[in-house]
Amino acid sequence: MINDIKQYAKLNNVPIMEDDGINYLINFIKTNNIKSILEIGSAIGYSAIMMAMIDNNIKITTIEKDKNRCLEAVTNINNCQLTNQIKVIYGNALDDIEINNTFDLIFIDAAKSKSQTFFEKYQSYLNPKGIIITDNINLHGLVKDSSLTKNKNTLKLINKIKSYIDFLKTNNHFITEFIDIGDGLSISRKK
């Protein structure tokens, strides 16, 4: 089933986590005994499914704003028989979404230009020793070397990500480390 989801993503240009990135995330969740996760950006449910498969006691709430991808995520989660572990919310994470839980982990994997907004909006949903992980901090190497693109929109996005990295480095409430795995991850732990 997982291979089918990965194949579908590849054929339909749906961005999902790179193998080494998802493997790192899975090991991180196991090592840190994480049981409750809020994911911002479900896409077709791949990472939520991979995280839920670690342990039957893990509960995930995932938010997706693209209706077709959201429906695909629900189908994939049903097919993997994980509906009792994964709750899918259709909506824009920037809007007011009713969430009645707190979480051990918030995983930000949505619009890269909005990572800081997501961080600031959802940090209050963290448990006392909660962690926020953000994917795509490297943007395929472009953040380290922006001369690799001349596209103005991509350059704007690179600057937004650089600004987010600066925000993380100077945030007094979190300690952040940057992991150069997959497309780059930031791991922010509450102080």
Side-chain angles (χ1 to χ4, degrees):
M1 186 69 223
I2 289 298
N3 286 334
D4 293 341
I5 295 170
K6 286 170 72 172
Q7 191 64 30
Y8 176 90
K10 191 174 185 179
L11 291 172
N12 294 280
N13 294 316
V14 178
I16 60 171
M17 285 189 82
E18 295 178 16
D19 288 345
D20 51 351
I22 194 76
N23 291 336
Y24 182 90
L25 183 61
I26 287 167
N27 287 325
F28 185 91
I29 289 167
K30 287 179 188 173
T31 305
N32 290 277
N33 195 30
I34 289 166
K35 298 298 181 200
S36 56
I37 301 166
L38 173 64
E39 178 184 50
I40 300 168
S42 319
I44 57 172
Y46 172 70
S47 50
I49 290 166
M50 293 295 286
M51 292 186 286
M53 287 170 61
I54 296 168
D55 180 339
N56 292 337
N57 295 316
I58 291 176
K59 299 289 185 209
I60 300 165
T61 299
T62 183
I63 305 168
E64 177 55 50
K65 72 173 188 173
D66 181 288
K67 189 166 192 173
N68 292 333
R69 285 186 180 173
C70 188
L71 292 170
E72 193 68 36
V74 169
T75 299
N76 290 332
I77 291 161
N78 286 338
N79 290 343
C80 291
Q81 299 177 337
L82 293 169
T83 52
N84 60 329
Q85 284 179 260
I86 305 171
K87 176 185 177 184
V88 181
I89 297 173
Y90 169 59
N92 187 332
L94 296 172
D95 295 338
D96 287 332
I97 291 178
E98 190 174 328
I99 296 174
N100 302 317
N101 303 30
T102 57
F103 303 91
D104 298 331
L105 172 68
I106 295 174
F107 179 50
I108 301 173
D109 193 14
K112 306 310 157 217
S113 63
K114 305 288 186 211
S115 292
Q116 184 172 333
T117 306
F118 294 135
F119 189 108
E120 291 174 326
K121 180 175 169 91
Y122 289 98
Q123 66 184 345
S124 63
Y125 291 96
L126 277 180
N127 289 329
K129 293 192 176 174
I131 299 162
I132 298 178
I133 296 181
T134 309
D135 192 23
N136 306 110
I137 290 293
N138 293 343
L139 196 66
H140 313 296
L142 295 174
V143 172
K144 287 182 181 159
D145 186 2
S146 57
S147 70
L148 296 172
T149 183
K150 299 288 181 240
N151 182 299
K152 282 185 180 177
N153 288 336
T154 305
L155 289 168
K156 279 184 190 171
L157 180 56
I158 291 165
N159 287 332
K160 287 255 188 184
I161 294 171
K162 284 181 178 178
S163 174
Y164 178 57
I165 291 168
D166 289 340
F167 161 80
L168 294 175
K169 286 179 178 176
T170 59
N171 190 312
N172 294 325
H173 304 289
F174 289 82
I175 297 169
T176 300
E177 62 178 316
F178 299 91
I179 309 293
D180 208 11
I181 288 176
D183 196 22
L185 297 168
S186 64
I187 300 172
S188 305
R189 297 173 187 269
K190 244 183 173 179
K191 284 185 179 176

PDB file of all heavy atoms in Angstrom, residues 6 133 155 186 189:
ATOM      1  N   LYS A   6       3.360   6.047  -2.784  1.00  0.00           N
ATOM      2  CA  LYS A   6       4.572   6.711  -3.279  1.00  0.00           C
ATOM      3  C   LYS A   6       4.553   6.801  -4.805  1.00  0.00           C
ATOM      4  O   LYS A   6       4.917   7.829  -5.380  1.00  0.00           O
ATOM      5  CB  LYS A   6       5.815   5.956  -2.796  1.00  0.00           C
ATOM      6  CG  LYS A   6       6.098   6.170  -1.318  1.00  0.00           C
ATOM      7  CD  LYS A   6       7.167   5.250  -0.793  1.00  0.00           C
ATOM      8  CE  LYS A   6       8.547   5.621  -1.290  1.00  0.00           C
ATOM      9  NZ  LYS A   6       9.597   4.829  -0.625  1.00  0.00           N
ATOM     10  N   ILE A 133       8.528  20.261  14.293  1.00  0.00           N
ATOM     11  CA  ILE A 133       9.446  19.898  13.204  1.00  0.00           C
ATOM     12  C   ILE A 133       8.910  20.505  11.914  1.00  0.00           C
ATOM     13  O   ILE A 133       7.720  20.386  11.616  1.00  0.00           O
ATOM     14  CB  ILE A 133       9.586  18.367  13.064  1.00  0.00           C
ATOM     15  CG1 ILE A 133      10.229  17.780  14.324  1.00  0.00           C
ATOM     16  CG2 ILE A 133      10.396  18.005  11.811  1.00  0.00           C
ATOM     17  CD1 ILE A 133      10.442  16.276  14.293  1.00  0.00           C
ATOM     18  N   LEU A 155      12.970  32.833  -5.691  1.00  0.00           N
ATOM     19  CA  LEU A 155      13.864  33.662  -4.877  1.00  0.00           C
ATOM     20  C   LEU A 155      13.111  34.273  -3.690  1.00  0.00           C
ATOM     21  O   LEU A 155      13.653  34.335  -2.580  1.00  0.00           O
ATOM     22  CB  LEU A 155      14.517  34.759  -5.727  1.00  0.00           C
ATOM     23  CG  LEU A 155      15.580  34.257  -6.722  1.00  0.00           C
ATOM     24  CD1 LEU A 155      15.961  35.354  -7.707  1.00  0.00           C
ATOM     25  CD2 LEU A 155      16.813  33.748  -5.981  1.00  0.00           C
ATOM     26  N   SER A 186      13.959  21.239  10.478  1.00  0.00           N
ATOM     27  CA  SER A 186      14.288  21.990  11.705  1.00  0.00           C
ATOM     28  C   SER A 186      13.519  21.310  12.833  1.00  0.00           C
ATOM     29  O   SER A 186      12.371  20.907  12.656  1.00  0.00           O
ATOM     30  CB  SER A 186      13.903  23.459  11.578  1.00  0.00           C
ATOM     31  OG  SER A 186      12.508  23.611  11.433  1.00  0.00           O
ATOM     32  N   ARG A 189      12.553  22.534  20.007  1.00  0.00           N
ATOM     33  CA  ARG A 189      12.062  22.001  21.293  1.00  0.00           C
ATOM     34  C   ARG A 189      11.732  23.156  22.203  1.00  0.00           C
ATOM     35  O   ARG A 189      12.527  24.088  22.348  1.00  0.00           O
ATOM     36  CB  ARG A 189      13.130  21.137  21.953  1.00  0.00           C
ATOM     37  CG  ARG A 189      13.497  19.906  21.171  1.00  0.00           C
ATOM     38  CD  ARG A 189      14.684  19.201  21.832  1.00  0.00           C
ATOM     39  NE  ARG A 189      15.169  18.106  21.020  1.00  0.00           N
ATOM     40  CZ  ARG A 189      14.728  16.860  21.128  1.00  0.00           C
ATOM     41  NH1 ARG A 189      13.818  16.555  22.025  1.00  0.00           N
ATOM     42  NH2 ARG A 189      15.219  15.912  20.347  1.00  0.00           N
TER      43      ARG A 189
END
